[in-house]
Amino acid sequence: MCKKDNSICFAIGILTGIVGGIAAGLLYAPKPGKEFREDIKNTVIDVAEKYSPEIQKAKKQAIDIIKSSKYKIEMEYKNFLDNMKAQKLANAKNIETDVYNM
Protein backbone atom coordinates (compact mmCIF):
# COMPACT_ATOMS: atom_id res chain seq x y z
CA MET A 1 0.00 0.00 0.00
CA CYS A 2 2.68 2.49 0.96
CA LYS A 3 4.89 1.77 -2.04
CA LYS A 4 2.41 3.43 -4.40
CA ASP A 5 1.34 6.54 -2.50
CA ASN A 6 3.72 8.23 -0.08
CA SER A 7 1.17 10.78 1.14
CA ILE A 8 -1.06 8.01 2.49
CA CYS A 9 1.93 6.50 4.25
CA PHE A 10 2.78 9.91 5.66
CA ALA A 11 -0.77 10.38 6.96
CA ILE A 12 -0.71 6.92 8.54
CA GLY A 13 2.63 7.78 10.15
CA ILE A 14 1.25 11.06 11.49
CA LEU A 15 -1.79 9.33 12.98
CA THR A 16 0.38 6.61 14.50
CA GLY A 17 2.66 9.22 16.02
CA ILE A 18 -0.27 11.14 17.45
CA VAL A 19 -1.78 8.02 19.00
CA GLY A 20 1.60 6.94 20.38
CA GLY A 21 2.26 10.39 21.81
CA ILE A 22 -1.12 10.53 23.48
CA ALA A 23 -0.64 7.04 24.92
CA ALA A 24 2.81 7.94 26.26
CA GLY A 25 1.41 11.15 27.70
CA LEU A 26 -1.35 9.28 29.48
CA LEU A 27 1.08 6.79 30.96
CA TYR A 28 3.62 9.32 32.20
CA ALA A 29 1.44 12.32 33.05
CA PRO A 30 2.25 13.69 36.51
CA LYS A 31 -0.27 16.52 36.15
CA PRO A 32 -3.83 16.71 37.45
CA GLY A 33 -6.68 15.96 35.04
CA LYS A 34 -7.61 19.54 34.17
CA GLU A 35 -4.03 20.58 33.33
CA PHE A 36 -3.46 17.34 31.47
CA ARG A 37 -6.57 17.81 29.32
CA GLU A 38 -5.47 21.37 28.52
CA ASP A 39 -2.02 20.09 27.47
CA ILE A 40 -3.58 17.46 25.22
CA LYS A 41 -5.86 20.05 23.67
CA ASN A 42 -2.93 22.38 22.97
CA THR A 43 -0.83 19.55 21.55
CA VAL A 44 -3.61 18.43 19.20
CA ILE A 45 -4.13 22.01 18.03
CA ASP A 46 -0.37 22.43 17.43
CA VAL A 47 -0.12 19.18 15.46
CA ALA A 48 -3.22 20.04 13.42
CA GLU A 49 -1.79 23.47 12.56
CA LYS A 50 1.68 22.14 11.80
CA TYR A 51 0.55 19.31 9.51
CA SER A 52 -2.63 20.85 8.13
CA PRO A 53 -1.46 21.02 4.48
CA GLU A 54 -0.36 17.37 4.51
CA ILE A 55 -3.54 16.27 6.24
CA GLN A 56 -5.69 18.20 3.76
CA LYS A 57 -3.76 16.71 0.84
CA ALA A 58 -4.17 13.17 2.19
CA LYS A 59 -7.85 13.84 2.84
CA LYS A 60 -8.36 15.12 -0.72
CA GLN A 61 -6.58 12.08 -2.15
CA ALA A 62 -8.69 9.74 -0.02
CA ILE A 63 -11.88 11.44 -1.19
CA ASP A 64 -10.74 11.23 -4.83
CA ILE A 65 -9.97 7.53 -4.45
CA ILE A 66 -13.38 6.92 -2.86
CA LYS A 67 -15.17 8.82 -5.65
CA SER A 68 -13.23 6.95 -8.32
CA SER A 69 -13.94 3.60 -6.68
CA LYS A 70 -17.62 4.45 -6.29
CA TYR A 71 -17.85 5.37 -9.99
CA LYS A 72 -16.13 2.13 -11.01
CA ILE A 73 -18.41 0.06 -8.80
CA GLU A 74 -21.51 1.81 -10.15
CA MET A 75 -20.38 1.19 -13.74
CA GLU A 76 -19.67 -2.49 -13.04
CA TYR A 77 -23.06 -2.85 -11.37
CA LYS A 78 -24.76 -1.22 -14.36
CA ASN A 79 -22.89 -3.56 -16.72
CA PHE A 80 -23.90 -6.51 -14.58
CA LEU A 81 -27.58 -5.48 -14.70
CA ASP A 82 -27.38 -4.90 -18.46
CA ASN A 83 -25.85 -8.34 -18.95
CA MET A 84 -28.51 -9.94 -16.77
CA LYS A 85 -31.25 -8.18 -18.77
CA ALA A 86 -29.68 -9.26 -22.06
CA GLN A 87 -29.39 -12.83 -20.82
CA LYS A 88 -33.04 -12.88 -19.72
CA LEU A 89 -34.12 -11.50 -23.11
CA ALA A 90 -32.03 -14.11 -24.92
CA ASN A 91 -33.53 -16.89 -22.78
CA ALA A 92 -37.05 -15.56 -23.43
CA LYS A 93 -36.33 -15.42 -27.17
CA ASN A 94 -35.03 -19.00 -27.11
CA ILE A 95 -38.12 -20.18 -25.26
CA GLU A 96 -40.38 -18.31 -27.70
CA THR A 97 -38.53 -19.82 -30.67
CA ASP A 98 -38.78 -23.32 -29.18
CA VAL A 99 -42.54 -22.91 -28.60
CA TYR A 100 -43.17 -21.77 -32.19
CA ASN A 101 -40.99 -24.55 -33.63
CA MET A 102 -42.99 -27.27 -31.94
Side-chain angles (χ1 to χ4, degrees):
M1 178 169 97
C2 287
K3 292 179 183 178
K4 292 182 180 179
D5 194 347
N6 290 333
S7 61
I8 291 175
C9 294
F10 182 76
I12 291 171
I14 292 289
L15 292 175
T16 303
I18 290 171
V19 170
I22 290 172
L26 288 172
L27 293 174
Y28 296 106
K31 297 180 182 180
K34 188 173 183 178
E35 288 179 35
F36 180 65
R37 286 189 297 274
E38 189 67 30
D39 285 349
I40 289 177
K41 177 182 167 186
N42 292 335
T43 302
V44 169
I45 289 170
D46 291 344
V47 168
E49 288 174 356
K50 184 175 181 180
Y51 294 106
S52 182
E54 290 86 357
I55 292 170
Q56 293 301 321
K57 182 179 176 184
K59 181 180 174 182
K60 183 184 179 306
Q61 288 177 341
I63 289 170
D64 290 345
I65 289 169
I66 290 169
K67 285 181 181 178
S68 173
S69 298
K70 180 181 174 187
Y71 176 76
K72 288 177 185 177
I73 290 169
E74 287 173 347
M75 292 307 296
E76 288 299 320
Y77 182 69
K78 182 183 178 299
N79 288 339
F80 173 76
L81 291 178
D82 290 346
N83 288 338
M84 290 297 292
K85 187 185 288 185
Q87 190 175 30
K88 285 181 181 181
L89 288 173
N91 287 341
K93 185 176 182 180
N94 287 340
I95 291 171
E96 183 180 321
T97 305
D98 289 344
V99 168
Y100 285 126
N101 287 336
M102 285 187 174

